[in-house]
Amino acid sequence: MISPDALVDEMVPPSTFDHVSFDSYIPDPNEPSQAQAVAKARDFVARASKLRGKKKGFFSRHKEPEHGVGLYLDGGFGVGKTHLLASVYHSMPGPKSFATFVEVTHVVGALGFTNAVERLSNHTVLCIDEFELDDPGDTMLVSRLLTELSARGVSIVATSNTLPGQLGEGRFAAQDFLREIRKLSGIFETIRVDGPDYRHRDLPPAPEPKAEAELIATAEATPGATLDSFDDLCKHLATLHPSKYKALVDGVSLVCIDGVHPAPDQTVALRIVVLADRLYDADIPVTVAGSKLDEIFTEEMINGGYRKKYLRATSRLLALSRFAESKV
């Protein structure tokens, strides 16, 4: 059982982003929005740090704290939003937290809402990556959390592939859901970050799958590699809560998957999305036999309400598969 303190302490950027900074972000000269995003992120850090650094005078000690500032980085895949988010985190004084949207809901669920607010309310900043709303309950939960934390002086920066006023668009139409969306929109200053996906600039299509015998030989010759059939892997993922996927990939050097084929349904597909995120966070290469990695999510899935999730996962899996090819 993980202690409440440990849960909060684990809210840090993935190891892939341990050493990133604003200086190491190289804006695309053809996309002025990227340089603007860097400037806005630096300004956010200056304003948020100043807010938390203010001393309370004798006559102001009973006043309510100033609201935190908010920044929302919206854009496509592979334009460096997570790089900028992690740079904000590294630039801010502690205590501070970084987590995906899903991880935030897991922490609140584990701690309880009131306890989560208390434990995060002394933080300088809460960084939320991949702000996606798949469930009205999660939306209202996070909306309440951010409203409470902002009112207590916690600054908030988030990334997403959808503008805050459009979160949940095409999925839910309930009035209470839409009301929560409008609340969230009011917290953030929105900055658009455009550009091509850096993971695939000037790169060839998805690597061809290996033959089964070659895949097995690669797995056997690589210390720390895993080898699973696609169907067995999907069945195993179904037995675990998505919050456990991070532990599942700890210590793995290479993921080898045999018999890859299109996901049979949305439930399986969404589990693969979470696994892809955890593999990408840990920078673990992936190599497969069977179908190509860009064929896991069907055209019907890509054109549905989870389109952005599936496109992001495909982008990340292809990057990891090219990484695997380069190591061979």
Side-chain angles (χ1 to χ4, degrees):
M1 185 70 178
I2 301 176
S3 70
D5 287 336
L7 274 175
V8 174
D9 289 345
E10 289 180 357
M11 296 174 72
V12 297
S15 57
T16 307
F17 299 96
D18 277 350
H19 305 293
V20 300
S21 67
F22 293 128
D23 289 338
S24 66
Y25 182 95
I26 309 300
D28 186 332
N30 298 315
E31 292 293 344
S33 65
Q34 294 188 8
Q36 181 191 24
V38 175
K40 286 289 186 179
R42 288 183 184 273
D43 179 65
F44 171 90
V45 169
R47 289 186 296 133
S49 299
K50 183 178 179 181
L51 182 71
R52 274 308 201 189
K54 285 184 177 179
K55 302 290 186 182
K56 290 186 177 180
F58 182 78
F59 295 106
S60 62
R61 60 181 177 178
H62 298 300
K63 290 182 180 179
E64 292 295 319
E66 289 190 54
H67 278 62
V69 296
L71 180 66
Y72 194 98
L73 300 172
D74 171 75
F77 311 104
V79 295
K81 300 187 305 295
T82 304
H83 182 132
L84 290 176
L85 187 70
S87 299
V88 168
Y89 175 90
H90 293 314
S91 300
M92 288 290 293
K96 51 192 174 181
S97 291
F98 182 112
T100 65
F101 177 85
V102 172
E103 288 168 344
V104 170
T105 62
H106 291 163
V107 168
V108 176
L111 298 181
F113 183 83
T114 301
N115 195 10
V117 170
E118 290 300 320
R119 289 181 178 275
L120 295 173
S121 61
N122 68 329
H123 282 42
T124 60
V125 68
L126 172 60
C127 301
I128 306 177
D129 201 17
E130 298 298 346
F131 208 118
E132 296 180 359
L133 305 179
D134 306 320
D135 181 286
D138 285 347
T139 305
M140 287 182 267
L141 178 70
V142 174
S143 175
R144 284 182 58 210
L145 178 71
L146 299 190
T147 300
E148 290 274 351
L149 292 178
S150 178
R152 296 186 183 208
V154 180
S155 294
I156 299 161
V157 57
T159 72
S160 182
N161 304 303
T162 310
L163 293 168
Q166 298 172 321
L167 287 168
E169 195 175 76
R171 302 180 193 171
F172 308 104
Q175 289 305 305
D176 57 349
F177 180 77
L178 296 176
R179 188 164 52 249
E180 296 300 326
I181 291 299
R182 294 188 188 101
K183 283 184 192 174
L184 287 175
S185 300
I187 292 175
F188 300 106
E189 175 188 5
T190 301
I191 300 300
R192 179 74 188 177
V193 191
D194 291 312
D197 187 338
Y198 78 90
R199 289 183 283 264
H200 308 303
R201 286 180 203 153
D202 304 319
L203 291 175
E208 289 295 325
K210 294 181 180 293
E212 181 180 4
E214 184 183 4
L215 182 77
I216 294 172
T218 298
E220 291 178 344
T222 307
T226 63
L227 175 62
D228 299 279
S229 75
F230 182 76
D231 289 333
D232 286 345
L233 176 61
C234 291
K235 288 177 183 176
H236 185 62
L237 293 178
T239 67
L240 301 173
H241 189 277
S243 63
K244 305 293 185 184
Y245 291 9
K246 183 177 181 180
L248 184 67
V249 304
D250 280 351
V252 174
S253 64
L254 171 69
V255 170
C256 300
I257 309 173
D258 191 17
V260 170
H261 60 80
D265 56 55
Q266 298 269 24
T267 302
V268 172
L270 290 171
R271 292 189 187 114
I272 294 171
V273 168
V274 179
L275 179 64
D277 286 342
R278 299 293 79 77
L279 291 172
Y280 186 77
D281 288 346
D283 209 19
I284 300 173
V286 176
T287 189
V288 302
S291 298
K292 293 182 180 180
L293 284 168
D294 59 359
E295 297 173 353
I296 289 179
F297 307 114
T298 65
E299 185 175 350
E300 181 181 4
M301 292 174 182
I302 295 291
N303 292 327
Y306 299 107
R307 173 182 175 82
K308 291 182 173 66
K309 279 181 178 285
Y310 296 141
L311 291 177
R312 184 189 77 235
T314 299
S315 171
R316 290 181 165 186
L317 287 171
L318 292 184
L320 293 175
S321 67
R322 293 193 183 100
F323 181 32
E325 291 288 303
S326 70
K327 296 185 72 173
V328 174

